[in-house]
Amino acid sequence: MLPSANVAVGHEKCDSYLLFQGETLLGNGLRAAIYFIALAYCFIGLSAITARFFRSMEAVVKHTRKVVVIDPVTNVATTKNEKVWNYTIADITLLAFGTSFPQISLATIDAIRNLGSLYAGGLGPGTLVGSAAFDLFPIHAVCVVVPKAGELKKISDIGVWLVELLWSFWAYVWLYIILEVWTPNEITLWESLITVLQFAVLLSHAYAQDKRWPYLSMPLARSERPLEWVPEEVSSCKAKNNHEEFYNVLEVDDDVGGDLVDVYSIHSRHGSVDESVPLTEIRESSAGTEHKVNSGEEPTLLLLWKEQFVDALKLEGAESRKLDGICPRVARISWQLLIFPWKFMFAFVPPYHIANGWIAFVCSLLFITWIAYIVTQLTDLISCVTGSPRCLYFVDAFSIFIRWKYDNPLMRDHIAAEINAYVIAFTALASGTSWPDLVASKIAAERQTTADSAIANIICSNSVNIYVGIGFPWLIDTTYNYLVYNKPLYVQDAGGLSFSLVVFFVTSIGCISVLVLRRLTIGAELGGPRVWAWVTCVYFMFLWLIFVVVSSLKVSGII
């Protein structure tokens, strides 16, 4: 895979290619279409690995430790299981950081490739700002309509949400300050270092608010939140055809004995009930996968790993066989064929049952990083082939406007060259790399009885994007430039990026205001009457379109 080269104004061909040199023989319009399809396929891969990542993350958060508590009155020692992870910290680190890892790795790869240059790469910052807009608007739009009609899901801890929201807004104010006010068009070593350190301050402040520490927290009451970070699905259900029970296996409990296994607990708003069932017939229902464990046989690591490959090789599962009509079944099988390469590769990720899910968690992040690297190559190639004037009118959303406003061919060539990485970063790249955020928030909105994790993932992902996603790559480049050249890192088109920050800030106020209005009127941020949920969804999507169009027009030099 070769790195892409810059295309000067007037060049008709892009000499870079993805896999084969013969790609350069194709027309720029056809190549752009092929690379966009490949980019979309990578986004499908990101969606697939996110499901496995989320499952491993749940296993990490479920981990408990035994704590001995001595009653001061009776002096009797009792042992209880205590959660290792604080849910607020888990929302910010595991959930928000993990789902933002494609953007972070994308910006870090771009920064490493940019070492030796005095100018920051435009792909990373532009992607993260565009991703912030995608997180705030489309993901909120999806989460609002996910609950069932009439179901209300509200934030249980307003104090923590306000702290997260405060640091999220401050992140973009801070970014504007260092780009336009403090050292215009420059990023110093101290600025990048302070940016990264603010992530630690965010964690400390959110934890202090969660624990209601004096002088460091707001005295706001909170409603009851489920005992589990993400409430588990019902452990048993009835199959429509054979009415047989099946269970989701979590892990073998050595303390109970070889004949029993723990299953996912049934949780309610008032607590949890742990269940154990005989190990005579246990089936795991995940993505249509079913397998039996005979009496006396424990589900070993190799057996669980084997089932992942068996599931990847299946073209038609139980759900597909239940579909009425040949067309739905053919469509389902066609989709399974399409995603087969991703499913087979991701089957190599170890089962989340071992090491409390940490091995699967790390392996999932490595796969996400690899896909993000492919995404960088594809976006470079798209920028390369769309930099040609002949290809401009094929792929650019503003071609009609450009043709109407600029009759001078030289001006059109100039605008074609100015369709830079920021435009692609604001649109396709940001939307695609934010797909894990969308999947994770949707799952949380579906499965939680509150809106805490779903909305916290959105808000905290934006904070992570700035403090880590931009701060860390800039720290790499500024450190290198300081040690080698004794110069800061210069930002090209900082004015365009700063303008996008202003647009994002204004539109985000409109988004948060509607969430507050929903809380005051219908009593919840998510769900509610179906009509109003869809009205809110359309409104959020409209805000996103405003951000994308206005920002892209600005950085392209059209306005």
Side-chain angles (χ1 to χ4, degrees), residues 216-464:
L216 295 177
S217 62
M218 293 173 284
L220 297 175
R222 57 182 165 190
S223 57
E224 185 179 359
R225 189 177 181 181
L227 296 179
E228 291 293 338
W229 175 70
V230 175
E232 303 296 349
E233 300 170 341
V234 177
S235 62
S236 64
C237 63
K238 298 289 184 179
K240 293 182 179 179
N241 295 333
N242 53 17
H243 301 281
E244 294 179 354
E245 293 185 350
F246 61 92
Y247 299 88
N248 286 329
V249 181
L250 174 61
E251 59 184 356
V252 175
D253 192 344
D254 296 328
D255 297 333
V256 178
D259 293 332
L260 296 176
V261 290
D262 287 342
V263 299
Y264 286 145
S265 303
I266 303 177
H267 295 273
S268 66
R269 301 180 66 91
H270 304 288
S272 63
V273 179
D274 295 329
E275 294 186 356
S276 297
V277 296
L279 190 60
T280 55
E281 182 180 13
I282 299 173
R283 300 178 184 177
E284 181 178 17
S285 176
S286 176
T289 305
E290 296 183 1
H291 66 275
K292 282 189 178 182
V293 182
N294 296 324
S295 178
E297 178 185 356
E298 295 187 356
T300 62
L301 171 62
L302 292 179
L303 177 60
L304 295 173
W305 212 334
K306 172 187 173 183
E307 290 300 325
Q308 294 184 176
F309 286 95
V310 171
D311 176 61
L313 294 174
K314 284 185 178 179
L315 295 180
E316 189 176 18
E319 295 180 1
S320 179
R321 288 191 293 269
K322 294 177 184 178
L323 295 176
D324 296 330
I326 189 64
C327 292
R329 293 184 63 179
V330 171
R332 187 67 177 263
I333 293 175
S334 300
W335 174 253
Q336 293 296 325
L337 285 172
L338 180 66
I339 64 175
F340 167 74
W342 292 125
K343 292 180 62 178
F344 184 77
M345 282 189 292
F346 298 152
F348 286 95
V349 176
Y352 60 88
H353 305 77
I354 62 175
N356 298 315
W358 277 109
I359 297 179
F361 184 86
V362 173
C363 291
S364 298
L365 290 183
L366 292 177
F367 268 112
I368 291 173
T369 305
W370 172 65
I371 298 176
Y373 176 75
I374 297 177
V375 168
T376 61
Q377 300 299 305
L378 289 170
T379 51
D380 281 349
L381 287 168
I382 291 173
S383 299
C384 185
V385 297
T386 57
S388 166
R390 285 188 178 180
C391 193
L392 173 63
Y393 302 125
F394 274 102
V395 298
D396 192 69
F398 316 116
S399 59
I400 298 177
F401 177 80
I402 292 173
R403 250 191 279 193
W404 168 75
K405 187 172 182 179
Y406 300 104
D407 291 330
N408 189 333
L410 294 178
M411 179 60 72
R412 291 202 302 267
D413 291 351
H414 171 72
I415 294 175
E418 289 298 320
I419 305 298
N420 53 27
Y422 283 113
V423 176
I424 296 175
F426 285 144
T427 53
L429 187 58
S431 303
T433 53
S434 293
W435 205 254
D437 294 317
L438 174 61
V439 175
S441 290
K442 178 178 177 294
I443 293 174
E446 288 174 337
R447 295 176 57 184
Q448 272 205 340
T449 57
T450 69
D452 290 83
S453 290
I455 294 182
N457 179 48
I458 298 171
I459 302 299
C460 295
S461 292
N462 288 344
S463 301
V464 170

Side-chain angles (χ1 to χ4, degrees), residues 1-4 14-24 31 34-39 42 373-382 385:
M1 188 178 297
L2 298 181
S4 61
C14 173
D15 295 329
S16 300
Y17 55 91
L18 181 64
L19 297 175
F20 309 105
Q21 191 172 5
E23 297 171 19
T24 58
R31 292 181 64 188
I34 293 174
Y35 296 145
F36 268 115
I37 293 174
L39 194 64
C42 287
Y373 176 75
I374 297 177
V375 168
T376 61
Q377 300 299 305
L378 289 170
T379 51
D380 281 349
L381 287 168
I382 291 173
V385 297

Side-chain angles (χ1 to χ4, degrees), residues 102-244:
Q103 300 97 302
I104 297 171
S105 57
L106 191 68
T108 303
I109 292 170
D110 193 49
I112 294 174
R113 291 168 54 192
N114 198 53
L115 284 176
S117 173
L118 294 177
Y119 290 89
L123 191 59
T127 302
L128 295 174
V129 175
S131 176
F134 188 89
D135 285 345
L136 194 63
F137 305 129
I139 298 183
H140 264 126
V142 171
C143 291
V144 165
V145 298
V146 161
K148 298 177 181 178
E151 185 179 10
L152 298 175
K153 296 191 177 184
K154 65 180 182 179
I155 299 173
S156 62
D157 197 333
I158 291 293
V160 171
W161 178 72
L162 289 176
V163 169
E164 294 167 347
L165 186 64
L166 170 67
W167 283 99
S168 178
F169 273 98
W170 166 249
Y172 293 95
V173 173
W174 167 255
L175 190 60
Y176 181 83
I177 291 174
I178 62 178
L179 286 175
E180 290 291 328
V181 180
W182 198 346
T183 54
N185 301 320
E186 296 180 3
I187 302 296
T188 64
L189 178 59
W190 283 109
E191 289 173 339
S192 58
L193 181 61
I194 293 174
T195 303
V196 174
L197 292 178
Q198 288 183 78
F199 180 67
V201 180
L202 162 62
L203 288 174
S204 301
H205 192 187
Y207 185 77
Q209 178 63 42
D210 181 77
K211 295 299 183 180
R212 296 302 192 269
W213 288 354
Y215 309 109
L216 295 177
S217 62
M218 293 173 284
L220 297 175
R222 57 182 165 190
S223 57
E224 185 179 359
R225 189 177 181 181
L227 296 179
E228 291 293 338
W229 175 70
V230 175
E232 303 296 349
E233 300 170 341
V234 177
S235 62
S236 64
C237 63
K238 298 289 184 179
K240 293 182 179 179
N241 295 333
N242 53 17
H243 301 281
E244 294 179 354

